[in-house]
Amino acid sequence: MILTPFEIDLYRHLSPFFTAQGFTLMAEKKQYRKTTATGFQNVILSPAFYGDETWLEVNLGTRNEQIEQIGQQFLNNLPDFRPDANTLILSIGKLQGLPYFRYKIASDAQLADTCRTIEAFMTESGFSFLQSAESLSGIDTLLNESPGQPSRYVYNQTHRCYKAIIAARLTNNPHFDGLIDRYRHQLNVQTRNPYEQLNFERLVAFLLHYSMN
């Protein structure tokens, strides 16, 4: 793959920091990734170029392999993308309550300053969030704490319905039956798609007979 000069400089600044934390640069996927016992954590860097200014969005994500192995059987993701699917993902902006935030960079000095800001954020709260969001119990809490509201921890709210009930089943969430009804209703409102609703019911039937041993 061909990297832009901006990306080359960005990775040059950030790689020593993330490498020290156990992350590996995967430039072809525009991210740093760390393998964990349950899947992976990643930090995704997405630049957009507007003339002399670059806007940089930074997303934090985790993948729980157990949830994804179940969920990807029922979701409409292309097979080639399934091994890289995140279970949870949100931007640094959303994590700070600033949903549309982007770093705006127009000079080498601003790039260096932005990288220092990203490193400080990760040290202060980013890595701890990733740690809390990789376990089944952490995912269950984040996806199911407010089932009646859109989740800020996923971009696709349809996929949230699937992954949330999987997490609830795997953690023996006592509200599992009620969550099924809640997300069934949400899918009906969100998609009006009989195929999606059928797929969700297939997942529910699978989970009701799923053995975690």
Side-chain angles (χ1 to χ4, degrees):
M1 66 168 298
I2 299 176
L3 298 177
T4 65
F6 175 87
E7 289 171 312
I8 292 171
D9 287 342
L10 178 68
Y11 299 148
R12 177 175 57 82
H13 280 289
L14 291 176
S15 286
F17 172 77
F18 280 106
T19 298
Q21 297 293 331
F23 286 74
T24 299
L25 174 62
M26 303 178 71
E28 72 282 3
K29 301 182 187 298
K30 300 184 183 298
Q31 65 185 252
Y32 290 94
R33 182 180 294 187
K34 179 180 180 179
T35 301
T36 67
T38 56
F40 63 67
Q41 302 173 359
N42 58 358
V43 179
I44 304 167
L45 304 158
S46 304
F49 304 101
Y50 298 96
D52 293 332
E53 188 172 66
T54 300
W55 291 14
L56 179 66
E57 182 175 32
V58 182
N59 280 280
L60 310 184
T62 63
R63 175 186 175 93
N64 183 283
E65 199 65 39
Q66 194 173 8
I67 289 177
E68 294 306 319
Q69 285 182 355
I70 296 173
Q72 293 300 323
Q73 301 176 62
F74 302 93
L75 297 171
N76 58 0
N77 289 341
L78 295 174
D80 288 348
F81 294 107
R82 291 175 184 173
D84 294 313
N86 282 86
T87 305
L88 301 180
I89 184 169
L90 81 165
S91 68
I92 281 181
K94 280 189 176 182
L95 195 54
Q96 299 179 99
L98 304 168
Y100 304 108
F101 175 79
R102 307 288 190 277
Y103 297 102
K104 296 179 180 180
I105 303 163
S107 68
D108 292 341
Q110 287 179 342
L111 174 59
D113 185 59
T114 294
C115 289
R116 286 191 292 268
T117 300
I118 292 170
E119 292 172 3
F121 174 83
M122 294 303 300
T123 299
E124 292 166 6
S125 57
F127 290 128
S128 62
F129 167 76
L130 290 175
Q131 190 69 30
S132 68
E134 72 174 37
S135 68
L136 284 173
S137 60
I139 294 169
D140 177 46
T141 298
L142 293 174
L143 290 183
N144 289 315
E145 61 185 351
S146 300
Q149 301 295 324
S151 173
R152 66 172 176 162
Y153 300 104
V154 294
Y155 284 105
N156 188 317
Q157 296 302 315
T158 297
H159 289 192
R160 181 267 188 99
C161 297
Y162 286 74
K163 296 181 182 187
I165 65 161
I166 295 171
R169 175 68 179 89
L170 295 179
T171 57
N172 291 313
N173 187 316
H175 304 293
F176 176 66
D177 291 339
L179 289 169
I180 290 174
D181 290 338
R182 173 79 73 167
Y183 293 128
R184 179 185 285 132
H185 174 72
Q186 286 189 20
L187 278 176
N188 183 50
V189 172
Q190 290 171 10
T191 69
R192 301 288 182 180
N193 183 337
Y195 175 79
E196 195 74 69
Q197 294 163 20
L198 178 61
N199 243 13
F200 184 77
E201 295 304 329
R202 289 177 56 232
L203 172 61
V204 169
F206 176 88
L207 292 174
L208 289 173
H209 299 91
Y210 179 75
S211 172
M212 290 169 282
N213 298 323

